[in-house]
Amino acid sequence: MRTARMTFHVGDETSTHYELSHLQALEAESIFIMREVAAQFERPVLLFSGGKDSIVLMRLAEKAFRPGRFPFPVMHVDTGHNFPEVIEFRDRLVEELGERLIVANVQDSIDAGRVREETGPRASRNRLQTTTLLDAIAEHGFDAAFGGARRDEERARAKERVFSFRDDFGQWDPKNQRPELWSLYNGQIRKGEHVRVFPISNWTELDVWQYIAQEGLEVPSIYFAHTREVFERDKMLYATNEHMELLDGETPFELSVRYRTVGDMTCTGAVRSTANSLLEVVTEIAATRITERGETRADDRVTEAAMEDRKREGYF
C-alpha cells in the first residue's frame, strides 16, 4: 500500500517522521473537511443514497464525531424508482447508527406540480431530483450539504472544489468558486446561498473500494455479482423493472451482473461480472479504464456536457 511520509524539524532537534498509508491520508483529509463544515455552518446535512460513496461518508462521519451523534441529519432524495435492495439497506444502516433520516420524495414534487413526470419508454425521474433537492434544502434551511462526488467520476466533477458554492437559486457557476489554497476552506455565505461539500473529492473509485474492504463495511448486495433478468439498450444493461417500457426488439435475458453505482433504475446500468467478494471487486476495478458513471449512467450520455448542465441547475 502506498504511504505518505511527513517530516518535522523543531529547532536543532533531530527530525522525526511518521508515515501514513495512502488511505489513512485520504481519511484524515476527509475527517478534517467534515469537522470544518460542522464548525463553520449552522445547519449541514449529509446526502445519502445508499451507494458506496455515501456509505464511506457515513463511516467518516462516525470517525469525525463519535461517540456523539452526527451534528447533522441524513437525507436521501428518493425518486421512487430506486433498487429495493438499496432502500432496505439505507433504512437499516441509518437505524443501526441511530441517526435521523429525512427522505425527500420526487413523487411529492410531482404531486405538488413542482415538476412534470416524463412519459414513454425512455422516461426517467432522475433529472427531477434537482427540484426535490433544492426544495428540501430550502424547507429545512440547510446551509451546507455533504455529497459523495469524486473528481475522477466525470469531467464536470473534476472542476468542482471541495466547498462548492451555490447561489440563491441553488445553481453552480464553475467560474465563480473560491480558491482552496493549502486546504483552507472559506464557508462564509449570504442568506439563501448554500454550499455542497465533497469530502472524498480526492478519492478514486479504487480508493473507495479499498477503504470499504479495510473497514469491513457492508454495502448493498447489488454491488456483487448476481444473476438478474436484464435487457440491453444503447449498449447498457438494465434490470427489467416496472418503471421501464421495453422497445421493439428488446428481449429480457438472465445474466451474471453487478452494479458499480446505484441510483434510479431507469438510468443505471449493470456490468457483466462474476465478482462476488470485496477482493474480487477491488481486483476488477483495478483493471478497468472506464469510470463507473461513464460505463453505467445513461443520464451522463445525453450530451458531452450533460453532467455540467445538470450541476448548473442545482444537481448533486
Side-chain angles (χ1 to χ4, degrees):
M1 183 174 289
R2 288 174 288 171
T3 60
R5 175 169 297 192
M6 299 183 180
T7 303
F8 300 87
H9 298 273
V10 182
D12 295 328
E13 296 294 324
T14 304
S15 63
T16 59
H17 72 270
Y18 66 90
E19 293 184 351
L20 290 177
S21 73
H22 174 62
L23 290 181
Q24 286 174 326
L26 289 174
E27 178 188 73
E29 176 188 52
S30 300
I31 290 173
F32 168 72
I33 291 167
M34 284 190 152
R35 289 173 174 167
E36 278 291 296
V37 170
Q40 293 192 47
F41 295 89
E42 293 183 5
R43 294 184 63 83
V45 64
L46 190 153
L47 302 179
F48 183 73
S49 67
K52 63 185 185 305
D53 300 310
S54 53
I55 290 169
V56 167
L57 285 185
M58 294 285 267
R59 172 50 62 92
L60 293 169
E62 285 187 85
K63 293 196 174 187
F65 304 111
R66 288 294 193 243
R69 295 185 63 182
F70 298 171
F72 41 74
V74 175
M75 183 167 76
H76 181 209
V77 179
D78 189 352
T79 67
H81 294 173
N82 296 93
F83 291 90
E85 300 97 323
V86 177
I87 297 301
E88 183 277 330
F89 175 85
R90 176 202 71 186
D91 293 342
R92 181 162 48 83
L93 178 62
V94 173
E95 183 178 2
E96 289 174 357
L97 292 176
E99 299 298 337
R100 176 189 172 202
L101 174 66
I102 298 171
V103 179
N105 291 293
V106 170
Q107 184 63 53
D108 292 341
S109 299
I110 296 171
D111 294 342
R114 294 283 294 143
V115 294
R116 179 178 295 178
E117 183 151 29
E118 299 175 5
T119 59
R122 295 185 181 275
S124 175
R125 288 184 173 184
N126 194 60
R127 195 179 187 97
L128 308 185
Q129 293 180 88
T130 298
T131 297
T132 306
L133 171 64
L134 294 177
D135 286 351
I137 287 174
E139 177 187 350
H140 296 280
F142 295 131
D143 52 5
F146 291 108
R150 308 183 322 269
R151 291 193 177 109
D152 74 320
E153 287 182 90
E154 201 272 342
R155 284 174 292 184
R157 299 286 201 204
K159 297 180 181 180
E160 198 110 52
R161 300 290 170 82
V162 173
F163 275 30
S164 178
F165 286 82
R166 307 299 172 104
D167 65 19
D168 320 51
F169 302 100
Q171 297 177 332
W172 175 67
D173 181 359
K175 296 181 180 179
N176 187 27
Q177 298 295 307
R178 298 174 183 176
E180 295 177 341
L181 304 175
W182 304 292
S183 297
L184 296 176
Y185 304 108
N186 180 358
Q188 186 174 7
I189 57 173
R190 295 175 299 200
K191 185 174 179 61
E193 298 175 333
H194 72 276
V195 177
R196 307 286 171 83
V197 183
F198 303 108
I200 61 172
S201 287
N202 294 327
W203 297 47
T204 66
E205 184 184 10
L206 182 58
D207 293 329
V208 167
W209 278 109
Q210 289 178 327
Y211 189 76
I212 288 170
Q214 173 185 285
E215 296 293 305
L217 301 180
E218 183 185 358
V219 296
S221 59
I222 65 172
Y223 276 119
F224 300 106
H226 57 288
T227 299
R228 199 177 197 112
E229 186 176 84
V230 299
F231 64 95
E232 186 168 0
R233 176 182 296 178
D234 302 328
K235 299 181 180 180
M236 286 178 54
L237 297 171
Y238 293 96
T240 54
N241 64 86
E242 61 181 328
H243 310 299
M244 297 182 74
E245 300 175 24
L246 295 179
L247 299 172
D248 290 341
E250 292 179 341
T251 304
F253 57 96
E254 288 194 344
L255 188 68
S256 176
V257 299
R258 73 175 195 87
Y259 288 84
R260 292 178 65 186
T261 182
V262 300
D264 192 295
M265 298 178 75
T266 63
C267 64
T268 304
V271 295
R272 290 175 170 83
S273 177
T274 58
N276 55 20
S277 70
L278 283 174
L279 177 60
E280 290 175 336
V281 169
V282 168
T283 301
E284 187 176 274
I285 295 301
T288 189
R289 293 295 178 266
I290 304 175
T291 68
E292 67 265 45
R293 294 196 71 94
E295 185 173 21
T296 65
R297 292 301 292 265
D299 48 331
D300 290 342
R301 297 185 176 190
V302 178
T303 68
E304 289 199 2
M307 170 65 82
E308 184 160 335
D309 290 342
R310 293 200 310 279
K311 288 177 67 61
R312 288 177 183 271
E313 296 170 359
Y315 189 72
F316 307 130

